[in-house]
Each structure stands twice: as C-alpha cells, then as structure tokens.
Amino acid sequence: MSRFWSNVTQGLTPYVPGEQPKLANLIKLNTNENPYGPSPMAIDAIHAATDESLRLYPDPNADRLKDAIATRHELERRQVFVGNGSDEVLAHAFLGLLKHPQPILFPDITYSFYPVYCGLYEIAYETVPLADDFSIRVADYVRTNANACGGIIFPNPNAPTGKALTRSEVEQIVAANPDTVVVIDEAYIDFGGESAIPLIARYPNLLVVHTLSKSRSLAGLRVGFAVGSAELIDGLERVKNSFNSYPLDRLAIAGAVAAMEDEAHFEQTCAAVIATRERLVEQLRELGFEVIPSAANFVLARHPQHDAEKSVLALRRQGIIVRHFKLPRIDQHLRITVGTDEQCAALIAALREIISA
Ligand SMILES: *Cc1c(COP(=O)(O)O)cnc(C)c1O
C-alpha cells in the first residue's frame, strides 16, 4: 500500500498471468500459446509495415482489420470491434455492456480475469457452480424475471476445464435472456468447438469475443476482436473512444490482417494441435490421469495418487512448466498446454518418471 494510491487502486486484486520465464530451453506448457509460429504472411506484413510511416498514428478504427474479420466471418464491418488483445475487448464489454444494477453471472471455475474486471469496474457478480463433471449447466443460466441477472459471460470452451457447450446449448442461454447481454469468450473455439457467431444475426444480445493469441499464434502482437449486433459494437466503440483511440498500432493491424487472410496456415496448425491433443490425452490416461475431455489447446488432468503441486515442482526441475491453480475443486489438477509432439513426448516421459518414483 502507498499513501499515493487512490481508493480504487487500494481495493484492486489484479490478475496474475502465467509465468513468462526468462530462461531459454524450457518446455513451456503453461500459458496456452500456440507451439507453431504465426502465418509467415503475417511476419512479412509486419516487416513491410516497418518503415517511416510509423511516425503517423494508425487508423483509429483499424478498418482494414475489421474488413478482414468481417469477410472471414461473413459479417459487416459495423458488427466488428477490435482491441489490444481480447483482454482489452473484454474489459470494455464489462464496463460498457455488463455493468448494471443486477449481478452478472459466470461459472465458479472460469477465466480468472472476470472477477478482476468486476473489481476494477465495481460490477456485482454471482458465480454459478459447474456440474460435478465440470460442465456448464444450461438450466442455471435460464433465469425467471424475479431473479434476472445483469449479464452473462463464460468462455466456450471453458477455461481452464477445456469443456465446450454445443452451439444449440449456447443458443438456449442467449434465447432465454433476450434483455441481457450474453458474452461468449471463444478464445479457444478454433480447436474443436462450435462457434456462436452464426447466431448473432438472430440475437442482438449476443457478443462473441475472439483472440489472435491462441489459434493464430500471435499472443505477442496483442489483437482480439468482438462480433455482435451493431448496437453492441457501438457501445464498445463509445467506451474505447473514451479510453484509447489507437489501441492497435500499425504493425499489429498489418500482421493481424495477413493472419486473418492466411486460412491455409490457420487450418493446418489447428489440425496439428488437435491431433497432438488427442494423443496427449490418451497417453495421460495410460499413466492413470483423469483427463477432462478438451475442445481447447490445453487439457486439465489430475492423478488420483499424486499431489498436483509436487508434480508441478518435479516437472519444473526437468525444465517443463505447466499451470497449477490453487483454487477450490481444481487444486489437484494440472493444466497442460498442448505443445508440439516432441514437447508432449518429453512431458509424458517426465510424468512417467515422477509417477513411478
Ligand atoms: C487467453 C485468453 C484470453 C485473452 O487473450 P488475449 O487476446 O491474449 O488478451 C481471453 N479469454 C480467455 C478465456 C483466454 O484463455
């Protein structure tokens, strides 16, 4: 604490991102980055944009990028909002669309940034427990008028469980709450889930948030977007233009446009991650792990006979880092990002040793 801090600052509980180690040569399976590089076309576009025009501000509306996203998802430009990582897009959605007198709803086990935004913007929330098998129960989000909520947000697939709802399950939640905004955070949707984007034509209360950090392998560039009805997007633009007019720099716009256009690289790398995930799940189960079925680029797994925290430390001694959450219900789980086949083989070999020790 410092006497120079405002009351708001004193009351914050900031998000703690997964470690970005300074050591080279670690097998880094802790923050759900893509093990493959981004589209070579994105890298070329960033190089090409690196010139004296950097003296000029970027397009405040990033229209080229909005158009590339709109084309890819068969939408109009006015249905697309872009931001400096989907974390920023989410922050604007919390302030601009989810801050109401009634509490918003999200699962008890979910992306741990949501309660942080609620703290920052003083948004009331209620957490809704996942079922025993860690699935989101649709019925829990179908409220009567008497206990209406201020909004709903969850990732699909959920993080850190990896479990996905089908599009029709998401639709039931969106349809049951026509007067509240439902935000579906689809950070991991490209690894096997069904996107809710086709629903936005029929549901003006649905906002779908994507990131280029995971499936497009551009976590370092910081680009995310939201798609939804023009009225929701307008709300986000009002917040953005009251906060930072130029959230995307010239290099980010250039790289993101090229990444959205390189469908072949995207398809190929997503397919590789999915194939490796399936092998990893099988091998973890052979070692006695219970693995939650995952539609994401990570898996959440627990070994009934081995303490999770001890396993994390033992892996670390072998140069492998995975994520562990000291949270109720999942403190005996490891969250393992799907790496390359070689990285996953090294992980399995290390776990086999740890388990037989
Ligand atoms: C990674 C992640 C994000 C944030 O992505 P950025 O675009 O890198 O800010 C948002 N939501 C969930 C659930 C994530 O896992």
Side-chain angles (χ1 to χ4, degrees):
M1 289 292 166
S2 157
R3 68 199 162 92
F4 299 119
W5 292 358
S6 68
N7 284 338
V8 175
T9 306
Q10 292 187 30
L12 295 177
T13 310
Y15 176 73
V16 183
E19 184 191 353
Q20 293 296 341
K22 303 287 183 289
L23 291 171
N25 299 326
L26 284 178
I27 296 185
K28 191 176 175 305
L29 304 177
N30 68 329
T31 52
N32 299 343
E33 287 135 335
N34 200 309
Y36 304 106
S39 160
M41 295 197 230
I43 296 171
D44 288 349
I46 293 167
H47 279 297
T50 306
D51 62 21
E52 64 83 36
S53 67
L54 283 172
R55 72 187 180 79
L56 300 171
Y57 281 105
D59 173 6
N61 299 315
D63 281 339
R64 276 178 61 216
L65 177 56
K66 287 183 181 177
D67 288 346
I69 293 164
T71 302
R72 169 72 175 37
H73 291 290
E74 299 178 3
L75 299 166
E76 291 170 41
R77 183 194 285 173
R78 62 196 191 103
Q79 295 174 294
V80 181
F81 178 80
V82 295
N84 186 239
S86 63
D87 285 339
E88 186 186 76
V89 175
L90 290 167
H92 292 340
F94 273 84
L95 180 62
L97 304 173
L98 297 175
K99 184 173 162 77
H100 295 289
Q102 303 100 321
I104 66 165
L105 307 180
F106 50 80
D108 61 338
I109 299 171
T110 196
Y111 187 35
S112 44
F113 224 134
Y114 301 159
V116 174
Y117 293 129
C118 288
L120 176 62
Y121 293 126
E122 300 183 307
I123 300 170
Y125 67 93
E126 276 175 29
T127 57
V128 182
L130 298 179
D132 288 338
D133 69 352
F134 293 109
S135 52
I136 288 175
R137 280 181 299 228
V138 171
D140 293 341
Y141 294 86
V142 176
R143 294 290 179 108
T144 58
N145 274 344
N147 62 354
C149 63
I152 294 171
I153 181 166
F154 58 85
N156 191 42
N158 196 11
T161 66
K163 269 208 144 183
L165 294 181
T166 64
R167 183 182 298 132
S168 91
E169 288 172 317
V170 171
E171 180 167 11
Q172 288 170 48
I173 294 171
V174 177
N177 294 278
D179 300 319
T180 31
V181 174
V182 178
V183 180
I184 309 295
D185 178 354
E186 294 189 348
Y188 301 102
I189 198 71
D190 300 318
F191 301 108
E194 283 180 349
S195 177
I197 291 178
L199 302 175
I200 68 177
R202 281 181 291 130
Y203 297 98
N205 60 322
L206 170 62
L207 189 79
V208 180
V209 178
H210 277 212
T211 175
L212 276 69
S213 297
K214 315 287 174 38
S215 58
R216 305 237 175 216
S217 198
L218 284 169
L221 201 64
R222 312 304 304 128
V223 183
F225 62 90
V227 296
S229 60
E231 55 186 310
L232 294 187
I233 299 306
D234 253 357
L236 295 175
E237 295 289 354
R238 287 171 73 88
V239 176
K240 172 246 172 195
N241 288 320
S242 307
F243 180 81
N244 178 2
S245 317
Y246 306 102
L248 292 192
D249 60 68
R250 286 175 167 271
L251 307 186
I253 293 170
V257 166
M260 289 307 300
E261 289 173 349
D262 190 351
E263 198 63 26
H265 181 85
F266 167 76
E267 298 272 346
Q268 189 203 324
T269 49
C270 287
V273 168
I274 292 167
T276 304
R277 178 187 70 211
E278 296 311 300
R279 272 192 294 279
L280 176 64
V281 168
E282 206 173 292
Q283 292 174 320
L284 286 169
R285 287 187 176 143
E286 280 164 17
L287 293 180
F289 279 90
E290 296 163 7
V291 189
I292 299 170
S294 171
N297 69 337
F298 58 84
V299 298
L300 192 67
R302 77 183 274 273
H303 199 290
Q305 281 95 40
H306 291 270
D307 179 67
E309 203 170 3
K310 284 189 188 148
S311 301
V312 169
L313 292 173
L315 284 171
R316 178 142 200 140
R317 283 194 290 274
Q318 306 213 34
I320 301 174
I321 46 178
V322 301
R323 191 103 191 249
H324 173 240
F325 299 94
K326 284 185 194 162
L327 294 173
R329 300 180 73 187
I330 54 169
D331 63 345
Q332 281 307 316
H333 287 76
L334 308 178
R335 195 201 62 189
I336 304 165
T337 302
V338 178
T340 60
D341 279 333
E342 295 70 36
Q343 291 175 320
C344 290
L347 170 85
I348 291 291
L351 284 173
R352 184 172 289 124
E353 238 178 75
I354 290 164
I355 278 160
S356 58

